[in-house]
């Protein structure tokens, strides 16, 4: 909406605010994620209940989906990510199967290439937000991180955001790192993500990095080891960006492996057209199937990414 030449600034702001009531001004990333442990005997496994459902009071638009083997480091299962080729998957939406009634092998869902440079691709997940996140002045982000298994020596994990000032148009970069030595949840220093300027910043990208063990011979990181949760502190809805299962055990941080629709290691499927539009209470049911006995009891990780 353009400002009229003879219009006072305050009148323009009032007119803009009246329009925003109808069109909405809050747009936040949303990710719904689950871990499906595949049944034995060729039986389909349904995802955790009430995960892929819009439980908020605002509509959600989902644009893409990620599929990957989530390793069970405790039981040494799923350590070979190529096992994804032996896993089938399907989605049910409004009593219709997508893509097919039959379980389609996970690689056939891929319709976007997200592989990064070979030297860094194992340790990185990167997401370009479908809608910028507005970080107002004095706002910050609360970022939780946790490891999937205890490392022999510390791992450095780093979360960074890039953005643009809405007034100055200059680039902004927010980043914070932490050395993790166990699987305990850690909250990164919020000062690294605080907007200390006088203008709002539109965040456009987020990058997750899980480095190698400090004393390891291999310097390649492993993004499969990292879990993340983010929420905005100040404006916005104040809710977690990533929504996961609560039964049988809560998984409050999303595996970073499933947060790479722009660059990462997961299979990425972009929904056709404008994606899935979920009104409050709407959702889908996801199911996995072991297409080969060798992947029974392994975990298929799935996430759906979009915005509120």
């Amino acid at each position: 909406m353009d400002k009229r030449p003879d219009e006072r600034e305050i009148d323009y702001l009032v007119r803009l605010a009246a329009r925003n009531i109808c069109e909405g001004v809050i747009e936040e990333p949303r990710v719904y994620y689950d871990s499906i442990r595949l049944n034995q005997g060729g039986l389909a496994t349904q995802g955790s209940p009430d995960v892929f459902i819009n439980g908020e009071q605002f509509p959600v638009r989902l644009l893409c989906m990620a599929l990957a083997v989530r390793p069970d480091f405790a039981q040494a299962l799923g350590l070979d990510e190529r096992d994804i080729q032996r896993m089938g998957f399907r989605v049910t939406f409004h009593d219709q199967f997508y893509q097919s009634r039959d379980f389609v092998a996970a690689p056939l869902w891929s319709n976007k290439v997200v592989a990064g440079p070979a030297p860094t691709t194992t340790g990185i997940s990167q997401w370009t937000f479908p809608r910028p996140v507005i970080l107002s002045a004095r706002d910050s982000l609360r970022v939780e991180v946790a490891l999937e298994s205890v490392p022999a020596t510390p791992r450095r994990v780093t979360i960074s955001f890039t953005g643009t000032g809405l007034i100055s148009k200059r680039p902004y970069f927010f980043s914070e790192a932490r050395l993790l030595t166990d699987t305990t949840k850690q909250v990164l220093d919020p000062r690294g993500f605080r907007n200390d300027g006088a203008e709002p910043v539109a965040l456009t990208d987020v990058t997750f990095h899980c480095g190698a063990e400090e004393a390891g011979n291999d310097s390649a990181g492993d993004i499969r080891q990292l879990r993340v949760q983010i929420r905005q502190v100040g404006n916005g809805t104040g809710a977690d960006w990533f929504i996961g299962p609560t039964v049988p055990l809560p998984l409050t941080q999303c595996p970073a492996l499933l947060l790479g629709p722009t660059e990462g290691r997961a299979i990425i499927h972009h929904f056709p057209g404008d994606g899935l539009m979920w009104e409050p209470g709407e959702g889908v049911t996801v199911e996995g199937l072991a297409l080969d006995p060798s992947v029974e009891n392994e975990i298929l990780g799935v996430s759906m990414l979009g915005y509120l």
Side-chain angles (χ1 to χ4, degrees):
M1 179 185 293
D2 295 330
K3 184 176 178 293
R4 298 165 185 164
D6 58 344
E7 186 176 27
R8 295 184 307 166
E9 188 69 25
I10 186 61
D11 294 334
Y12 170 67
L13 293 177
V14 171
R15 188 162 59 92
L16 182 63
R19 180 178 177 181
N20 286 338
I21 292 176
C22 300
E23 297 189 356
V25 294
I26 297 179
E27 293 180 331
E28 283 186 352
R30 282 295 182 269
V31 178
Y32 300 85
Y33 62 94
D34 196 9
S35 297
I36 304 174
R37 189 175 290 275
L38 302 180
N39 285 330
Q40 298 179 354
L43 299 176
T45 309
Q46 195 171 97
S48 302
D50 299 330
V51 171
F52 294 98
I53 291 179
N54 179 10
E56 303 184 76
Q57 58 180 326
F58 310 103
V60 174
R61 185 179 298 280
L62 299 176
L63 301 179
C64 62
M65 178 174 65
L67 297 170
V69 178
R70 184 184 172 215
D72 186 342
F73 294 102
Q75 301 185 48
L77 288 174
L79 301 183
D80 188 347
E81 55 192 337
R82 294 174 296 183
D83 286 349
I84 191 70
Q85 300 177 67
R86 300 176 178 178
M87 298 179 177
F89 183 75
R90 74 179 179 189
V91 178
T92 307
F93 183 52
H94 282 206
D95 296 326
Q96 295 182 341
F97 294 109
Y98 179 81
Q99 300 181 15
S100 166
R101 181 181 184 277
D102 299 323
F103 282 87
V104 180
L108 299 178
W109 288 80
S110 176
N111 59 8
K112 182 185 179 185
V113 178
V114 296
T120 61
T121 190
T122 59
I124 289 286
S125 281
Q126 200 268 339
W127 186 16
T128 298
F129 296 131
R131 292 289 190 274
V133 180
I134 304 302
L135 193 67
S136 302
R138 303 299 180 264
D139 276 11
S140 182
L141 298 172
R142 185 180 189 275
V143 181
E144 298 177 3
V145 293
L147 292 181
E148 294 276 17
S149 65
V150 178
T153 55
R155 289 182 181 269
R156 179 181 294 275
V157 301
T158 309
I159 315 295
S160 64
F161 296 83
T162 56
T164 302
L166 293 181
I167 299 175
S168 67
K169 309 303 180 185
R170 76 174 182 88
Y172 281 81
F173 184 77
F174 304 94
S175 183
E176 193 64 37
R178 178 72 60 88
L179 284 174
L180 300 184
T181 59
D182 54 32
T183 57
T184 306
K185 177 188 73 177
Q186 302 284 337
V187 178
L188 299 184
D189 190 343
R191 292 177 295 181
F193 305 110
R194 181 175 296 130
N195 179 10
D196 290 327
E199 65 173 336
V201 177
L203 302 179
T204 56
D205 303 83
V206 59
T207 302
F208 310 94
H209 179 246
C210 182
E213 295 182 2
E214 280 191 339
N217 294 326
D218 187 356
S219 59
D222 190 353
I223 196 63
R224 300 178 301 170
Q225 288 279 355
L226 180 62
R227 301 197 314 269
V228 186
Q229 182 60 267
I230 303 174
R231 72 168 61 175
Q232 185 172 349
V233 178
N235 291 287
T237 65
D240 290 339
W241 289 4
F242 311 144
I243 301 165
T246 57
V247 293
L249 293 174
L251 184 62
T252 54
Q253 296 90 29
C254 179
L257 174 67
L258 302 174
L259 296 173
T262 304
E263 177 185 336
R265 298 170 68 170
I267 292 171
I268 302 300
H269 174 79
H270 268 258
F271 296 118
D274 294 329
L276 300 181
M277 185 68 174
W278 287 357
E279 295 295 335
E282 281 191 316
V284 301
T285 301
V286 300
E287 296 175 278
L289 178 72
L291 301 178
D292 188 283
S294 62
V295 297
E296 292 176 351
N297 291 323
E298 291 191 11
I299 299 174
L300 172 62
V302 55
S303 67
M304 295 186 181
L305 306 95
Y307 63 94
L308 183 74

